[in-house]
Amino acid sequence: MSFEANLKKYAKLVVEVGVNIQKDQLLLIRTPLEGAFFAREMVKCAYERGAKRVFVEYSDEEVTKLLYTHATEETLADYPEWMAAKMNTLAEQNAAFISISAGNPDLLKDIPTSKISAMQKSTGVALAPFRRLTSNSDVCWCIVSMPTPAWSQKVFPGKSPEEAESLLWDRIFEATRITEADPVAAWNAHTDLLAHKCAYLNDKKIKTLHYTAPGTDLTVELVKNHIWQGGGEDSTKGTYFVANMPTEEVFTMPYKYGVNGTVSSTKPFVVSGNLVDKFTLTFKDGKIVGCTAEQGEDVLKELIARDEGSHYLGEVAIVPHSSPVSRTNTIFFNTLFDENASCHFAIGSAYTTNIVGGGDMSQEELEKAGANTSSTHNDFMVGSDKLTIEATTESGERFTVLKDGEWAFE
Ligand code: ZN
Ligand code: ZN
């Protein structure tokens, strides 16, 4: 299969299965400059499917770096109103959103973390309405990726730029099932399997999950009336969409104050372009009370200190060790891929879709139910072929969810 043919399949998959674009709908595609040719393919597919208007927003890493270098912390702490209005308005108009997430993970490594933090914080506040509509699945959205030269070199440092980029494309096509004869059919079968796992776990009404692995002994309580989700989901307007491609996880909401013990990371963790590696977090009653990292400890500490909610977990996700992403045996330095290779948790905000009635709950009600809120949400990986997860249900039944990294139930 030629590269062009695979790219067309990929664009079609994202538009048709990812955001499932509907007739007369608006679509915003956000892409790095390097992704223009991929975005154009998606624009074509979207119009063919009857989209009303497709907007493309380009970002340029060099310009981003210049901004962080020259703008003051005060400027970064003040998110432009018109930029927020654009995103918030489009979401209110039920536009669909595709983001091509591809960047150099080291781009901001020389920028003071206080600047990065100021920008993340102001973005979080300004785009809160947009983020609420996406996290509540009121709008359809999809995050996908593609190689950029800097990213490819990071993943394949010994190779020439062209070779590295071509290798990374191959890994992405594998991880997203584009190499299958009919990716749309393969995705339908895959999302069906994830739906089955979710149904089983939802039926069990789990109270706690106990994680054991080298360096990990952690008990995670789940919120009452939690919902396991995975694969695709129906938007509140009834459109089935898949928010992440690839996606291999089933995930739910931890009880904010019910996490105890220690967990060790199994893959590098990229925070705003900074690498954190080989770290351990210790929890008491949900709160992170200790952390150590062999690399990027200050970055990790700064992330945890960002606000009240960044001291707590907001997501529990299970991914079998044999997932296609995991089988590529590649560290992507990109959360979209790395999180789908491995069981993970998120530091920060929970998804309101992970609790019954969450979308209609006020901030106070969410807090009372034990849902975490934060301006940040960062996934970190804890899965491996040595991870076992035991569940205890509300009625006291025990069963094994994951054994040696693989599903332990049919
Ligand atoms: Zn996740
Ligand atoms: Zn997450």
Side-chain angles (χ1 to χ4, degrees):
M1 186 73 63
S2 73
F3 172 76
E4 282 69 28
N6 277 333
L7 187 77
K8 277 190 169 39
K9 282 164 92 178
Y10 193 23
K12 182 178 150 79
L13 182 74
V14 176
V15 170
E16 291 189 11
V17 179
V19 292
N20 190 1
I21 197 81
Q22 302 291 304
K23 196 169 163 18
D24 288 332
Q25 200 179 7
L26 299 173
L27 171 64
L28 174 66
I29 300 171
R30 290 185 288 171
T31 177
L33 290 177
E34 295 87 346
F37 66 99
F38 181 28
R40 274 179 221 124
E41 285 299 330
M42 294 198 277
V43 172
K44 265 185 244 165
C45 290
Y47 280 127
E48 274 163 24
R49 288 259 300 193
K52 185 177 185 174
R53 182 162 178 174
V54 184
F55 304 96
V56 182
E57 180 184 299
Y58 299 97
S59 61
D60 178 344
E61 284 195 330
E62 290 311 312
V63 172
T64 303
K65 192 168 178 182
L66 287 167
L67 171 71
Y68 277 99
T69 306
H70 297 285
T72 63
E73 202 173 309
E74 290 70 41
T75 301
L76 295 172
D78 184 18
Y79 194 88
E81 233 173 82
W82 65 270
M83 279 167 57
K86 178 183 75 179
M87 296 303 287
N88 294 335
T89 308
L90 277 172
E92 279 158 23
Q93 292 173 345
N94 192 34
F97 297 87
I98 294 172
S99 288
I100 301 177
S101 149
N104 173 7
D106 292 332
L107 183 72
L108 302 179
K109 73 176 191 318
D110 299 326
I111 304 293
T113 51
S114 60
K115 276 191 166 183
I116 295 167
S117 169
M119 180 68 165
Q120 287 222 325
K121 215 165 163 175
S122 65
T123 309
V125 172
L127 297 186
F130 166 73
R131 289 193 176 166
R132 195 172 163 92
L133 288 167
T134 49
S135 92
N136 191 34
S137 302
D138 280 321
V139 297
C140 297
W141 52 284
C142 181
I143 301 175
V144 294
S145 203
M146 59 161 284
T148 56
W151 180 27
S152 308
Q153 288 279 275
K154 176 89 187 166
V155 182
F156 299 105
K159 307 285 178 186
S160 73
E162 297 74 29
E163 209 182 338
E165 218 168 313
S166 152
L167 280 168
L168 189 51
W169 268 115
D170 288 345
R171 297 294 195 280
I172 290 176
F173 287 145
E174 256 173 75
T176 51
R177 298 178 165 79
I178 297 302
T179 46
E180 308 251 347
D182 183 349
V184 172
W187 268 86
N188 289 337
H190 171 55
T191 52
D192 279 354
L193 177 83
L194 293 178
H196 168 75
K197 298 295 180 195
C198 289
Y200 183 95
L201 293 170
N202 282 326
D203 199 45
K204 286 286 187 185
K205 304 214 178 312
I206 294 167
K207 181 150 172 67
T208 58
L209 295 172
H210 184 208
Y211 286 65
T212 45
T216 293
D217 184 351
L218 188 77
T219 304
V220 180
E221 191 175 335
L222 303 181
V223 291
K224 223 178 152 44
N225 299 321
H226 61 266
I227 299 171
W228 287 95
Q229 283 185 293
E233 63 196 287
D234 283 317
S235 75
T236 53
K237 280 128 195 146
T239 307
Y240 189 82
F241 72 103
V242 180
N244 286 305
M245 287 188 149
T247 184
E248 302 293 328
E249 62 174 344
V250 302
F251 62 102
T252 193
M253 191 191 287
Y255 175 59
K256 181 173 178 179
Y257 306 106
V259 184
N260 285 286
T262 297
V263 66
S264 295
S265 69
T266 52
K267 284 181 188 290
F269 173 40
V270 182
V271 183
S272 319
N274 288 287
L275 207 63
V276 183
D277 200 10
K278 298 196 169 59
F279 63 97
T280 297
L281 298 174
T282 303
F283 294 82
K284 175 135 187 13
D285 299 329
K287 191 170 185 176
I288 299 170
V289 292
C291 81
T292 58
E294 278 183 27
Q295 189 184 347
E297 193 173 296
D298 54 330
V299 178
L300 181 61
K301 287 195 163 136
E302 186 282 321
L303 171 71
I304 294 164
R306 198 163 292 169
D307 55 28
E308 196 261 346
S310 56
H311 293 79
Y312 296 87
L313 296 185
E315 179 194 350
V316 174
I318 299 173
V319 182
H321 190 67
S322 61
S323 80
V325 184
S326 181
R327 280 204 307 268
T328 64
N329 224 345
T330 304
I331 291 175
F332 287 90
F333 297 94
N334 178 317
T335 304
L336 178 63
F337 288 86
D338 292 326
E339 78 157 338
N340 280 301
S342 188
C343 287
H344 57 273
F345 295 112
I347 289 175
S349 60
Y351 293 104
T352 53
T353 48
N354 281 137
I355 187 166
V356 175
D360 300 322
M361 285 183 185
S362 66
Q363 212 44 251
E364 292 68 36
E365 287 169 325
L366 284 168
E367 173 67 24
K368 212 169 152 226
N372 191 28
T373 27
S374 170
S375 62
T376 191
H377 176 106
N378 283 274
D379 296 301
F380 64 95
M381 275 41 86
V382 303
S384 69
D385 60 355
K386 295 183 181 65
L387 176 65
T388 292
I389 307 175
E390 299 278 347
T392 305
T393 67
E394 285 172 5
S395 63
E397 183 202 340
R398 287 169 178 235
F399 70 100
T400 306
V401 176
L402 215 68
K403 176 114 183 67
D404 300 329
E406 297 304 328
W407 289 116
F409 61 88
E410 286 292 303

